[in-house]
Amino acid sequence: AHVIKDADEITVGLPDGREFSAEKIVVDEPSDLAVLRVDTQGQSLPFVTLKPSETLEVGDLVLAIGNPFGVGQTVTSGIVSAQARSSLDINDFNFFIQTDAAINPGNSGGPLVAMDGRVVGINTAIYSRDGGSLGIGFAIPSEMVASVIAAAKTGQGDEKGIVRPWLGIGVQAITSDIADSLDFTRPHGVLVSDLHHASPAKKAGMKIGDVVLSINEREIREPAEMKFRMATIPLGEKAHFK
């Protein structure tokens, strides 16, 4: 979203030299994602498919594609350095794939591609002291990308953002001390510390002091992960909490 935020006119260029005009359909700043509609003038375009980022393992090879420093389409390679990286302050859903593939200014919005050619994330940021790549880049997971695309398709998003599920609870991380008091063998899950009076979770029976261990069978290890999981559940669907 930060790439096209202030754009009045957008042109999409293809490697074969073709150019098409595009318009903003959804601009979702909380996730730093945007959806553009391309006027293809009846021409067919090549496309890629998404792949769940959770199928990746640390050490897997990935490719980052973009236009760093405006030099032209560039592909760099690296590995998955970490999954579920949340100790950042990049967007409202701090939950990223970390890679050492060279990502530089101009790579934002480009895909992070697995070895089977499918897209596992969208490059969004780097950790850098001088503006260049230090081998610490971050990509928005494909699950979040899919949720924004779904919102665009169903009309639940526009240039002001998308509509997301609301849970109405406050949670805190499980520290080692809290884990000991709960007789956990290790810190995991999140502790429910607050419940809004209209919270659907409260209506379902959740209480302050409960510990959420998983959502839809996906383990929850920290508050940021819970926020991410809820943001990727389509409106109208049910979420199963453990």
Side-chain angles (χ1 to χ4, degrees):
H2 74 265
V3 176
I4 53 86
K5 181 179 179 181
D6 298 320
D8 296 320
E9 185 177 325
I10 300 173
T11 301
V12 174
L14 271 60
D16 62 10
R18 288 183 290 170
E19 292 187 346
F20 302 95
S21 60
E23 61 176 323
K24 295 181 243 186
I25 301 301
V26 171
V27 180
D28 185 50
E29 292 189 12
S31 66
D32 195 23
L33 290 171
V35 178
L36 306 179
R37 176 175 287 129
V38 181
D39 180 7
T40 64
Q41 303 164 8
Q43 300 183 48
S44 61
L45 300 182
F47 61 90
V48 291
T49 56
L50 296 176
K51 176 181 182 176
S53 70
E54 291 169 319
T55 61
L56 295 173
E57 294 184 2
V58 173
D60 282 353
L61 294 171
V62 287
L63 303 175
I65 303 176
N67 183 11
F69 300 109
V71 299
Q73 181 170 302
T74 301
V75 180
T76 55
S77 66
I79 63 171
V80 175
S81 303
Q83 282 272 53
R85 185 67 79 200
S86 62
S87 56
L88 308 162
D89 189 20
I90 296 174
N91 62 27
D92 285 5
F93 302 102
N94 272 315
F95 201 76
F96 300 95
I97 304 164
Q98 183 181 328
T99 178
D100 70 347
I103 293 176
N104 288 288
N107 275 110
S108 288
L112 188 70
V113 183
M115 286 296 96
D116 62 1
R118 293 192 288 168
V119 175
V120 291
I122 300 292
N123 305 321
T124 187
I126 59 173
Y127 177 84
S128 176
R129 291 176 177 171
D130 57 8
S133 174
L134 293 177
I136 304 177
F138 302 99
I140 302 165
S142 57
E143 289 83 358
M144 182 64 80
V145 179
S147 72
V148 173
I149 292 173
K153 285 183 175 180
T154 57
Q156 295 170 339
D158 55 26
E159 289 192 36
K160 296 181 180 178
I162 68 174
V163 181
R164 286 191 168 88
W166 178 72
L167 199 53
I169 73 172
V171 296
Q172 67 183 74
I174 299 289
T175 63
S176 57
D177 289 339
I178 295 175
D180 288 341
S181 69
L182 296 171
D183 291 328
F184 285 3
T185 57
R186 61 181 175 87
H188 65 293
V190 293
L191 182 69
V192 178
S193 58
D194 190 31
L195 276 169
H196 191 276
H197 67 88
S199 166
K202 182 178 182 179
K203 294 176 181 177
M206 190 176 290
K207 298 180 178 65
I208 293 175
D210 284 347
V211 175
V212 178
L213 299 175
S214 66
I215 298 177
N216 289 343
E217 299 183 356
R218 303 290 187 187
E219 183 182 6
I220 301 298
R221 288 157 289 198
E222 55 191 353
E225 185 164 12
M226 182 173 183
K227 191 174 183 180
F228 173 82
R229 294 294 174 200
M230 286 306 302
T232 57
I233 297 174
L235 292 180
E237 292 196 7
K238 292 185 178 179
H240 297 276
F241 284 69
K242 180 179 179 182

